[in-house]
Each structure stands twice: as structure tokens, then as C-alpha cells.
Amino acid sequence: MTLVNKRHVVAGISFFFLLALLVFAYQESKRHRVDTGLEPVITGANEGCVSCHRQDSPAMVMEWERSRHAQFGVGCLDCHAAEQGDPDAWQHEGVHVAALVTPKDCGRCHTREVEEFSRSHHARAGEILASLDNVLAEKAAGMPGNIADAVNGCWQCHGSIVKFARDEQGQVLRTGKENNPVIDADTWPTSCMGRLNPDGSKGSCHACHSRHAFEAKLSRSPENCGKCHMGPDHPQIEIYNESKHSIAFYANRDQMALDKEGDWVLGRDYSAAPTCATCHISSYMTPQGVYKANNHDVGERISWTLRPVISTKLNLVVFEDGFKEDYPDMRPTPKIGEEIDTVEKIVENEQLVSKTVRHKVARIVTWENRRETMKGACRNCHIDAYIDNFYKQFDDLIVLYNEKFARPAQKLMDDLIADGVLDKSAPFEHEVQWVFYELWHHEGRRARHGASMMGPDYTHWHGMYEVSKHFYQKFLPAIVKAAETKGPAMKNKYEQRVNELLAQESHRWQKRVEQRGGRSPATKLPGEI
């Protein structure tokens, strides 16, 4: 090789080395910009807020500064500005502000998201105020003048009616040099999903999009849902954590693109594992392209209801004004264009009341349609045979729970009420009412949710095993015990009812158990426990 050729080779190597350095530097600078975000834009209207709160509540300002809101100049007053006549407003540094930020405020920019959310079960979570759950919190675990269990427990997930402290004339009490309204401490603060706000809106966006950073990765992470969806009566996060889906997620969290701005699409932006959001509300790829999800209506893909005593498949009636109502599959659905009266719960004078509202039917979404939408997410990772067989297993478990335990138990309870043994206005007067409540509300739900999310331990040991044991050992004896309070004749009637039930083939196993292979459990092979 000549000296000239050697120089050309050295020059070529130097050029490509320099080019590689420039590409690396560009990518590093790009990565740094993505990781750190843009600088916050502080507008003139918000400059005073940021300057003052940087001293009084610096961590809050730091959270806002790293948000997308800050990058686009959306600041304090854009969310907290209020009208002079608002009950939660006060004049602060020359402008009217409010501590409460409601979906109505968020809807000024996020119109579609708020419209979707307002039609969802999440937005109606505050309606628990009229349920047995809240009765237990206020009455069983509370006392007159102190309902702290409901305030610190139920309402922190489901929601409260935000109220104001008032004087004897009913006027909102105000305090301090700025005449701040006094919010009833029993009703706020909450981080709940279904808060009932003074402006008539329902819900709280920050239940999923925690202020003041409002990070996408937070709302996409399963822990976010686990704050409420956990515990003995609805352990979705515990069930998810034992599933193969969760094992894949936590092992590959760095591959989930949780911080991606804009759309977050399964099969395009990530593939490692599904989260709660993946299956229930997020977009996914299909052979036809992206299925653009209805991102803030969390119940649209649910084909069974797993909440009540007896599970039913759910059709969905959608009305022209956007209101939606679930119809159990045994309830006839109305016709398109038909006008229907629905009962809705609203707040009037700081009280939850029922109101009849007339709607016109726009469309019907069958339970099969809802299931097919859910299956679309599954198909990104599984073949149809796998998905269909999973649903067969799930459906069979629900039918087993319904037919062997839930329907007979509900029938016995209804008959005790009809015979005057139980009083509907005293839902926890007798032992049988407590046992029945936990049978479906705790143990039955755990079994059903376990099957729905591939959690075998919750399906059996925390679920159907507990249902079975308590049905035989607690519930049926408590039926007879309650009947006895009305005299020997009533006791005899329900003893006969229980014996007739136990004589059915589903329950005769107690007299003799034949295991697979025809052996009695008393006959053990060597090495068996």
C-alpha cells in the first residue's frame, strides 16, 4: 500500500469516527431532552403564583415544573381560577380562586376525556353512599356524631359529597383575612374516584392523574388502580400480582414505554405485558390498524358483572345524550329510538337523591360485543383458541358459583324476608345476614375476580373454598337459627328446606367422596399426604 493510499484510509477512518461521535452526541442530547423535558413556561398570569408558592410549597411547584402542563404554559390560574359566585371561591391576590379542581375545570381543555369519564362507572363510584357498604361503615363501625371509618375508608376511594361548613342560617362559613370558605373536613380532602362536586360534576381526575405532575406513567401503572381495587372484597391488584401478566410486567417494566407522550398502543409502543389500563381502556393494534380506545370509560369491555350476589352478563344501552345503562342479559333491551325513563342519582342541597330522567335509545352494545372488544387486546399476544378456552374456563366458574351457591342462598334469604323472619330495614340484625353478605361480597367476589384475571389462588383458596366452607358450615345453620326466632314451626320449615337442598346431587358429596380414579380419600397411596 502506498503512502497516499494509507493517508486516504486514515482520513476515511477519521471521518467515520467523527461522524459516529456526532451521531452519538445527537442521540445523547435527544435522549437528555426527552428525559428531562422542556423548560416550564411561566406566563404573566401565573408568575406571581409560582414565585410565591416556590417559597410556601416548593415541592408542589417542582411537581408542576416537570409536568406537560408546565411545558405548554398551563399554570395555576388555568386550573384554579373561579367565578365570584362559586361557593368554593375566594379572592386571593386580586383574583378569584378555588382549591377544588373538578372534571368541569379539566374539561375546558380535555373535553373528550371528561365526556367519556362522566359516563363511566368510575364517575358514579360516589353512589356507594346509598349502599350496604356505607351502612356498615357509618353504623356498624361508626357512632352518632363520628363516622370516621366511612370518611377515612369508603369515601377515600368511592367519593363523598363535598360540603361546606354552614352557620345557623345555612350560609357558608368563611375564615381568615381572605374570607376563605370552610369545607366540611368530613368530605374533603379525598383522593377518590367518584367525588360529588359542588359544581354538579362527578369524579376527580387526579384520582388517576395525581397532581401536580399528572404523569402518564402513573395512570398506566397497575399500582395506580391498586389503591382502590384491592382488599378482601375486590382484590384485583393482588390477583394481578399473582398472574403471569404481572410477573412479565415487573420483570420488564423498563420496556413498557409508560412515559410515552400521546397514544400508548399495545403491539406498537410496547409488548412486554398488559396492565390494568391495557385491558380495560387503552388502545391496541388490530389487523386493520390501531383500535382507538374510548380511553376514559373503564367498563366498556366488561361482559360479566362480578359485583352483585348473582353474576349476569351485561348488555349496554347507550342513549342519545351520552348516558349509559347496563342491562343484565335476562332483562329485555329496548329498541333503538325508544324513550326510556332511568333513575339517576344526583346531589340536591348536599344530599344524594334519586331522579327520574327520560332518554332516547341511540344504540345497543351486547355483552358479546363488549367481550369481543376485550378479546381484541388479548389477540396481540394470544391465538384465538387460547383466548376462547380461557373464556370457557372463566364462564364455567361463574356459572358454578351462581348455580351451586348464589342462587340457592339468595332464594333462602328472600324467603326468610317473605316469611317475616328477616327485616329488610335491618340488614345486619341476624348472624345469617352477616354470613350471607360475606359469602357473596367477599368470598364470592374473590373467586369470580380470580377466574377473570388468571389468579388461581384467589379463585380457589381465597374464593370457592371459602364460599363452600361457609355455605355448609355457617350459612345453612344460620338460616335455621334465624327461622327458629319465629317459633318451632318456622324452624321445622327451614330445616326441611335445608335438608332438601343438601339432598341434591351437587351437595350429596358430603356423605361420600369419590376422588378421580374411584378411590376414597381415606385410601392413600404410599407417599401421599
Side-chain angles (χ1 to χ4, degrees), residues 263-491:
D263 289 343
W264 185 61
V265 182
L266 174 66
R268 187 191 71 186
D269 300 319
Y270 67 101
S271 62
T275 69
C276 313
T278 301
C279 295
H280 288 282
I281 58 177
S282 295
S283 301
Y284 55 77
M285 293 302 296
T286 74
Q288 293 75 39
V290 176
Y291 173 77
K292 184 70 174 177
N294 192 350
N295 284 338
H296 287 76
D297 190 345
V298 73
E300 284 205 335
R301 303 177 192 175
I302 294 175
S303 49
W304 278 107
T305 174
L306 307 180
R307 294 172 56 244
V309 178
I310 300 169
S311 284
T312 61
K313 292 189 172 82
L314 293 176
N315 300 312
L316 182 67
V317 178
V318 183
F319 299 98
E320 288 185 350
D321 60 359
F323 186 78
K324 299 178 180 180
E325 187 173 12
D326 283 325
Y327 271 54
D329 58 343
M330 77 283 293
R331 179 184 176 185
T333 54
K335 296 180 173 58
I336 306 275
E338 187 177 350
E339 292 191 349
I340 300 293
D341 287 335
T342 65
V343 178
E344 301 173 28
K345 295 187 183 298
I346 62 171
V347 175
E348 288 184 353
N349 300 319
E350 297 185 342
Q351 297 294 322
L352 193 66
V353 299
S354 296
K355 183 178 180 181
T356 300
V357 181
R358 198 159 186 80
H359 302 281
K360 180 180 276 191
V361 177
R363 59 191 176 93
I364 306 293
V365 184
T366 67
W367 71 264
E368 293 95 340
N369 298 145
R370 299 172 85 164
R371 179 169 290 190
E372 183 61 28
T373 306
M374 179 71 85
K375 284 183 174 182
C378 305
R379 289 192 184 101
N380 273 264
C381 299
H382 303 290
I383 63 172
D384 281 335
Y386 187 99
I387 299 165
D388 293 342
N389 284 0
F390 158 73
Y391 268 106
K392 175 66 164 56
Q393 294 174 358
F394 172 39
D395 290 347
D396 286 349
L397 188 284
I398 304 305
V399 172
L400 171 64
Y401 160 81
N402 276 348
E403 300 307 319
K404 184 172 183 178
F405 301 107
R407 292 190 193 279
Q410 181 69 79
K411 182 69 167 64
L412 285 167
M413 294 295 288
D414 291 344
D415 289 346
L416 285 176
I417 292 172
D419 284 337
V421 176
L422 301 180
D423 182 354
K424 290 181 71 173
S425 67
F428 294 99
E429 181 182 11
H430 293 273
E431 178 188 6
V432 69
Q433 293 165 302
W434 293 84
V435 175
F436 176 66
Y437 180 77
E438 291 195 354
L439 195 70
W440 68 266
H441 187 271
H442 284 46
E443 297 141 14
R445 279 191 188 169
R446 291 198 294 265
R448 288 174 281 175
H449 281 120
S452 75
M453 295 168 58
M454 296 183 170
D457 194 59
Y458 275 87
T459 302
H460 177 62
W461 288 117
H462 295 293
M464 291 301 288
Y465 167 74
E466 298 282 353
V467 170
S468 306
K469 180 179 70 172
H470 294 149
F471 181 82
Y472 293 119
Q473 296 295 314
K474 292 185 177 181
F475 176 71
L476 294 181
I479 286 285
V480 176
K481 182 180 176 181
E484 189 177 13
T485 62
K486 290 295 183 181
M490 192 69 73
K491 177 188 176 184

Side-chain angles (χ1 to χ4, degrees), residues 15-77:
F15 171 77
F16 283 110
F17 179 71
L18 178 61
L19 181 62
L21 283 177
L22 289 172
V23 170
F24 176 77
Y26 169 75
Q27 289 179 339
E28 281 295 290
S29 66
K30 182 180 178 182
R31 182 187 64 80
H32 178 72
R33 288 200 303 274
V34 171
D35 288 350
T36 60
L38 301 173
E39 289 296 315
V41 175
I42 303 174
T43 63
N46 295 302
E47 186 175 6
C49 306
V50 173
S51 176
C52 185
H53 282 281
R54 202 187 300 278
Q55 301 299 318
D56 291 346
S57 42
M60 181 173 68
V61 173
M62 288 176 67
E63 287 292 287
W64 171 78
E65 286 178 330
R66 66 189 183 88
S67 72
R68 292 192 72 196
H69 279 170
Q71 295 173 15
F72 290 96
V74 178
C76 313
L77 285 179

Side-chain angles (χ1 to χ4, degrees), residues 44 53 60 80 103 122 210 241 332 337 395 419 446 492 511:
H53 282 281
M60 181 173 68
H80 288 277
H122 274 166
S210 296
N241 285 339
D395 290 347
D419 284 337
R446 291 198 294 265
N492 290 337
K511 300 300 182 183

Side-chain angles (χ1 to χ4, degrees), residues 515-517 519-529:
Q515 291 188 336
R516 292 197 177 202
R519 293 186 296 108
S520 166
T523 307
K524 295 188 177 71
L525 296 176
E528 287 187 332
I529 296 175

